[in-house]
Amino acid sequence: MAIQRPKGTQDLLPGVVEQWQDLEEQIRKICKEYGYQEIRTPIFEATELFQRGVGETTDIVNKEMYTFLDKGERSITLRPEGTASVCRAYVENKLHGGPQPVKLYYIGPMFRYERPQSGRFRQFHQFGVEVLGVDKPMVDAEVITLVWDLYSRLGLKGLEVHVNSVGCPSCRPEHKKKLQEFLAPRQEQLCKDCQSRFEKNPLRILDCKNPTCQEITQGAPTTLDTLCEECAEHFKELQSLLSAAEVVYKVNPRLVRGLDYYRKTAFEVLVEDIGAQSAICGGGRYDGLVQEVGGPPTPGIGFAMGMERVLAARKLAQGEQEGEGKDYLLLVALGDQAQREGFAIVSRLRKQGMPAGIDLLGRSLKAQLKAADRVQAHYAAILGEEELHKGIIILRDLRLGEQVELPLQDFEEVVWKRYKEDGN
Ligand code: HAM
């Protein structure tokens, strides 16, 4: 039997890869404009990093990690997310000793052993941003604005930005107590997972997808009810900065993120209709994490977006993308001599940066024109023995269905002119 790729992974084939490259390009551009620098950390890390960083009570650590012992008997985990690694790298490379804040971004594969479905994979890709060293709400507003700005450049539609404050170690215990009091009478009816969350991390019960748990938590006290003065002030300031930046957002007091490190700000961006999984971005503040992985007390905030989901949302908003990176011009050469001449022309065009192609199979005129259509070329240039003899070439505009005869010696100049006029 033929070998298949592992469940929950994808092959990104030509035609799709171009969409990824374009997304990555836009990401790098916006990061540069906002002053973020790229960081690349290992794809695997010591398991302990995620146990301590992401949290022992989370689904990610409990159920979803790809963990194995390497040949040296060390417990290794394929990274399920990027934040813990970035904090480790910040400490290990003493980035806290330099100027603050440190504004970083990353693009790369992450691994979670989840049940695959539309928009949910076992190997997926995140673009994430982390800002370390500043606790001011303006940083929170900046990263959310970056997301908003990127999505509008990508032309995404039907977005909802949900923001919340999940409090800090000084106000959370009170919320925990109130929530436990609220849930206690119906504790036995909670799902098995939530029963075990009840003691350690009842906040996560608000996020459970089980219908009974959702019903039980209706009207439960939220973190917003018990925020301390500092957290309340921070959240208020964040909201006014978001409004100033014209980000359309919604306060969602039930927004609870699936990772334990969040404090104060938590946010998510949801998009309609991309299938079962609607969260295209999630993030928040994690002021205790750097210390948790062995560094000095350092505030931090960031987000990560699932690139597969962003591309799905983009496709939905824009319809099928035009074949990016495909040939602008296809040279249809008929006969040996014309093929040689055609090859020389295409080589010159390519050398100067025009995406140009020539038939490699020696096919008929009809088959070559069909191929030009398939690659969505704007022009076909037809060169047969007869044209060659007369010193001309036929330039056919495939979008308009018109053609002109050009002297062979003028051909490249004309094509370059049109290429530039087309915005290239
Ligand atoms: P997260 O919410 O676990 O947060 O993941 C962020 C985004 O990654 C999700 O909103 C979703 O778009 C995408 N994602 C997650 N799991 C999958 C999957 N199995 N398949 C496809 N896409 C997926 C974090 O990872 C935090 N590190 C974000 C962060 C950065 N917080 C602060 N800084």
Side-chain angles (χ1 to χ4, degrees), residues 32 38 61 251 310 389 396 411:
K32 203 167 173 196
E38 184 174 359
V61 170
V251 174
V310 171
H389 185 68
R396 184 180 292 186
F411 172 71

Side-chain angles (χ1 to χ4, degrees), residues 45-48 51 67-70 72-77:
E45 295 268 6
T47 302
E48 196 191 348
Q51 286 168 337
T67 299
F68 57 94
L69 285 183
D70 71 6
E73 301 280 303
R74 300 171 200 91
S75 181
I76 294 291
T77 294

